[in-house]
Amino acid sequence: MQRSTGDAILSRRQIEALIAGGQSIIIVNQKVLRVDAWIPYHPGGHKTIQHVVGKDATDEFTIFHCEETRRMIARYQIGRIEGRWINFVPPIQGGVFRSDEDGKDESAILVKEKQDTSSTGLTADAGIRKRHSEPEPMENMATQDEITFLDTQTKEEIKLTLSQYPPLDPVTQDEIVAQYRLLHSRIHAEGLYNCNYTAYAWEFARCSLLFSIMLFLLHIGWYNTSALFLAWFWSQMVFAAHDAGHIGITQNFTIDSLIGMTIAAPIGGLSLGWWKRSHNVHHIVTNAPEHDPDNQHLPFLAVNHRFLGNLFSTYHERLLAYNKVAQALVPYQAYLYYIVLLFGRFNLYVQSWIFLLQAQGPRKGPARWHRWFEICGNLIFWLWFGYGILYKALPTPLSRVSFVLISHMATMPLHVQFTVSHFAMSTTDLGPTESFAQKMLRTTMDVDCPPWLDWFHGGLQFQAIHHLYPRVPRHNLRRTQALVMEFCRDVGIPYALYGFVGGNRKVLGSLAEVARQAAILEKCRRTVAERGDLVWGR
């Protein structure tokens, strides 16, 4: 009986040649999928898929998608593989693929520009920039001394990371993958994917109370206190939008999308579509300086020394220059951290409107109408907030400015929640052999708090658990934590758990260390300038 095309066994060289020809190939459950036709429809954006091209993405695909989506993969299958798959480095991350299918060496591993320099971030970044045809401005070029200093820092960081986590050999990593998948089955069996709708009813009541108090205080003229309650209302609503964005409430894409977009746009003035495009990439390449948009905050913050050397962002597709503004701010970033976060909500407005106006979301498929829903929702937001409250309800320009600043800046603890779980964790690229589970636990920390404070943190304190299983409803994350801690003990992966104060202290210490390195680098630059050394390209 003739084997169908989808059942054909494809060799590593054949798959490499397909990727070299521009096709988006991923491996899921030993199946070879060509997903080019799906990319324009993907609600999570195209870059999420680009970061798993050439990789066994079984774990990533399984934990991010509901059963309905997982059943769709058969239509994209073009073949199968046999045995253990050795991951390529995706093209977006600097991978170079051979198009010649005449090669005889089936054990050949991907040749890529940063293969021998994955421990030297700046050299690797040069390869990525070259592939994206990004010219290096003369004023942003680094001297050889600067490159040597930053590369040395990166090598020391990798050496320390490797000493703290399980080795990257196939036997060790395969065991971690096997245990991680067993844990996933156990979580399903214990019903932890089932949503606690009673908890959402209480949250709806709490948010309604906060909004009602805000309106009452606004009515009696307590404007600044009213603004404070509006900030608390927005912060609490974000938790539910986060769940909906991960399809973690009803497990139905359309219903959860409607819930999330309603909270984000007409209630919050933001775009869930933008958040999903950015956040899904963050989940795949967590803490990677070149790739994770949640780490890229120049010129205000540099969360890793590699940002001091002009990284090329594959997400924003531009150079993140360590320019004169950054050189002036980064040395003081440990002191500016909370001040910068005070303005976080204003940045979300800008990013949301850029996303919507430039139509950066899917224009086809089940999410094609989301853009128009969110544009209408944002207009409704500015109608009730901008016109109804700021213009009609507040009597003076000063009261309006005060209301905006308080209502927006008082959401700062929410931005601390988002950043504290990652900013102080590893940013090292350990290569394509590292398992997904180990990478998530290496780049993410949990914040410890008593159960009675869970409502305040909104589940975001369980970021490590959430990164392992993003669709587990947040009301079940505390129960899931016990199972994950057991898994970590079994496989020997350190589980980072800090108190809220301790986590903030660790972040500030990490920012201060990068600031110290920035000061050393600046001293190096001044010395070079005094010597009149030539500028070197990277």
Side-chain angles (χ1 to χ4, degrees):
M1 182 176 179
Q2 187 175 9
R3 178 179 290 167
S4 65
T5 303
D7 288 332
I9 302 298
L10 297 181
S11 70
R12 183 178 181 81
R13 283 291 294 114
Q14 288 175 308
I15 293 173
E16 182 181 358
L18 291 174
I19 298 173
Q23 299 186 34
S24 299
I25 307 295
I26 64 175
I27 313 297
V28 175
N29 291 321
Q30 301 293 103
K31 300 174 182 177
V32 181
L33 309 180
R34 181 169 52 208
V35 295
D36 299 86
W38 172 242
I39 288 178
Y41 299 84
H42 188 229
H46 65 286
K47 289 188 181 293
T48 310
I49 296 177
Q50 288 179 329
H51 281 291
V52 293
V53 168
K55 299 178 65 176
D56 184 339
T58 300
D59 291 328
E60 292 91 329
F61 182 80
T62 300
I63 64 165
F64 277 107
H65 298 96
C66 60
E67 180 61 31
E68 178 185 2
T69 303
R70 293 199 298 270
R71 287 197 297 265
M72 292 171 51
I73 66 171
R75 69 182 69 173
Y76 302 105
Q77 182 176 349
I78 61 171
R80 296 187 297 111
I81 62 168
E82 287 184 335
R84 185 182 189 276
W85 179 255
I86 302 174
N87 287 333
F88 287 116
V89 174
I92 192 174
Q93 297 180 12
V96 178
F97 293 76
R98 298 170 295 171
S99 60
D100 179 16
E101 293 190 26
D102 296 329
K104 303 296 184 180
D105 185 6
E106 294 296 338
S107 65
I109 299 178
L110 170 67
V111 177
K112 66 186 186 74
E113 293 179 25
K114 70 174 186 176
Q115 183 179 44
D116 297 325
T117 56
S118 61
S119 61
T120 56
L122 292 176
T123 311
D125 178 60
I128 296 174
R129 185 185 304 106
K130 182 178 178 181
R131 290 181 59 78
H132 288 269
S133 301
E134 176 73 11
E136 179 76 76
M138 286 296 295
E139 63 270 20
N140 292 329
M141 295 177 73
T143 67
Q144 190 62 47
D145 287 344
E146 294 167 16
I147 294 174
T148 301
F149 170 74
L150 293 173
D151 284 359
T152 300
Q153 297 298 313
T154 306
K155 289 177 180 178
E156 291 178 357
E157 182 183 41
I158 287 183
K159 183 178 180 180
L160 177 62
T161 302
L162 290 174
S163 70
Q164 295 175 334
Y165 287 87
L168 301 176
D169 63 273
V171 174
T172 301
Q173 294 300 311
D174 285 353
E175 177 62 20
I176 292 173
V177 170
Q179 293 298 321
Y180 174 61
R181 294 176 183 175
L182 285 175
L183 176 59
H184 190 215
S185 299
R186 184 177 175 185
I187 289 172
H188 262 294
E190 297 195 13
L192 295 178
Y193 272 95
N194 300 329
C195 186
N196 184 349
Y197 293 109
T198 301
Y200 276 107
W202 280 109
E203 288 199 359
F204 179 78
R206 181 167 63 246
C207 290
S208 299
L209 178 62
L210 289 171
F211 195 78
S212 299
I213 293 174
M214 182 274 293
L215 291 177
F216 173 74
L217 294 172
L218 186 68
H219 177 71
I220 65 174
W222 289 28
Y223 303 129
N224 291 343
T225 310
S226 173
L228 190 61
F229 273 87
L230 180 58
W232 291 340
F233 166 75
W234 278 335
S235 296
Q236 288 292 307
M237 292 298 291
V238 161
F239 301 145
H242 180 265
D243 284 356
H246 281 290
I247 322 299
I249 299 179
T250 68
Q251 308 288 323
N252 179 280
F253 172 77
T254 300
I255 296 175
D256 279 3
S257 294
L258 277 171
I259 293 172
M261 289 189 297
T262 300
I263 294 172
I267 294 177
L270 305 174
S271 167
L272 187 76
W274 163 78
W275 176 83
K276 290 180 71 171
R277 182 179 187 266
S278 170
H279 192 69
N280 287 345
V281 172
H282 161 70
H283 267 268
I284 294 294
V285 287
T286 308
N287 263 21
E290 303 95 338
H291 313 301
D292 184 357
D294 284 12
N295 259 11
Q296 298 172 352
H297 303 290
L298 283 178
F300 304 104
L301 299 172
V303 300
N304 180 268
H305 65 270
R306 289 166 64 184
F307 287 101
L308 308 180
N310 306 315
L311 283 182
F312 182 86
S313 167
T314 60
Y315 180 83
H316 296 291
E317 297 182 355
R318 61 178 174 83
L319 188 73
L320 300 178
Y322 186 62
N323 54 27
K324 293 187 181 300
V325 176
Q327 292 170 22
L329 295 177
V330 168
Y332 306 99
Q333 63 180 2
Y335 306 101
L336 297 174
Y337 171 61
Y338 296 111
I339 297 175
V340 170
L341 295 186
L342 285 172
F343 297 90
R345 187 171 181 86
F346 297 103
N347 177 59
L348 299 185
Y349 288 141
V350 174
Q351 298 303 322
S352 294
W353 275 108
I354 290 174
F355 174 83
L356 294 173
L357 293 177
Q358 294 184 356
Q360 294 178 353
R363 304 186 188 186
K364 301 179 180 180
R368 64 185 181 278
W369 55 275
H370 289 187
R371 179 195 179 205
W372 303 109
F373 182 95
E374 292 200 301
I375 288 176
C376 291
N378 273 276
L379 294 176
I380 292 172
F381 169 81
W382 287 108
L383 182 65
W384 74 260
F385 177 71
Y387 178 77
I389 291 183
L390 295 183
Y391 181 73
K392 296 291 289 185
L394 298 173
T396 65
L398 181 60
S399 64
R400 291 165 187 152
V401 172
S402 177
F403 193 92
V404 168
L405 291 179
I406 292 174
S407 63
H408 287 60
M409 291 183 172
T411 63
M412 186 264 283
L414 184 65
H415 300 286
V416 174
Q417 285 278 82
F418 284 125
T419 58
V420 74
S421 295
H422 298 291
F423 273 17
M425 297 301 291
S426 172
T427 60
T428 303
D429 177 13
L430 294 185
T433 60
E434 184 180 30
S435 63
F436 175 77
Q438 177 169 313
K439 182 177 181 179
M440 293 302 103
L441 289 164
R442 178 173 60 80
T443 56
T444 313
M445 75 164 72
D446 275 355
V447 174
D448 194 20
C449 74
W452 64 269
L453 266 181
D454 283 354
W455 70 272
F456 175 78
H457 293 280
L460 299 181
Q461 75 273 32
F462 298 114
Q463 279 292 295
I465 314 299
H466 170 66
H467 269 251
L468 290 174
Y469 301 105
R471 289 187 303 108
V472 171
R474 61 190 164 89
H475 301 107
N476 296 336
L477 290 177
R478 184 171 288 276
R479 290 165 57 197
T480 307
Q481 182 186 46
L483 301 180
V484 171
M485 294 176 74
E486 181 182 335
F487 160 78
C488 288
R489 287 193 295 267
D490 290 343
V491 299
I493 298 178
Y495 172 59
L497 181 64
Y498 295 85
F500 188 70
V501 174
N504 276 265
R505 187 181 296 119
K506 185 172 175 61
V507 168
L508 292 175
S510 179
L511 293 175
E513 174 59 21
V514 177
R516 184 188 68 84
Q517 294 166 343
I520 295 174
L521 192 63
E522 182 58 30
K523 183 178 180 180
C524 174
R525 285 191 172 121
R526 286 198 301 266
T527 301
V528 168
E530 291 171 359
R531 292 202 315 250
D533 284 10
L534 293 176
V535 175
W536 293 64
R538 293 191 294 122

